[in-house]
Amino acid sequence: MELAFATFLVVSLVLSSFLLETANAGSSLCDSKCGDRCAKAGVKDRCLKYCGICCEECKCVPSGTYGNKQECPCYRDKKNSKGKPKCP
């Protein structure tokens, strides 16, 4: 009985580790693209935060450090509560 429980725990840990890696695969892409996008930002931590949110939702980030938002309409069209662009 103890062996079965220990085996179950090991298998559960391996599976959860695999699923966590899969979930973070998109995040590393967003981290990389947002790092490029926010490279020249005055408030870099805020830029990275909002870029990351937009990237996860839109699955894209425009090229360059500014502009080019036509490359990603979802990213371009996201607005904050004040009606201003949400994504940097």
Side-chain angles (χ1 to χ4, degrees):
M1 185 70 167
E2 288 180 29
L3 181 60
F5 183 70
T7 303
F8 173 76
L9 283 177
V10 170
V11 169
S12 296
L13 287 172
V14 170
L15 286 176
S16 64
S17 173
F18 174 74
L19 292 173
L20 186 60
E21 280 183 34
T22 303
N24 286 336
S27 296
S28 64
L29 178 67
C30 287
D31 290 347
S32 173
K33 288 186 172 193
C34 288
D36 294 342
R37 182 82 179 165
C38 296
K40 296 182 179 179
V43 186
K44 194 169 186 173
D45 59 337
R46 185 167 40 184
C47 181
L48 289 169
K49 175 184 175 182
Y50 288 105
C51 180
I53 291 169
C54 294
C55 178
E56 290 293 328
E57 291 177 11
C58 296
K59 308 294 186 237
C60 63
V61 175
S63 62
T65 56
Y66 185 80
N68 302 321
K69 289 188 178 182
Q70 73 279 1
E71 295 174 1
C72 185
C74 171
Y75 191 97
R76 175 193 65 211
D77 297 340
K78 287 217 167 291
K79 305 289 184 210
N80 65 19
S81 61
K82 297 177 183 175
K84 296 187 177 189
K86 180 176 186 171
C87 307

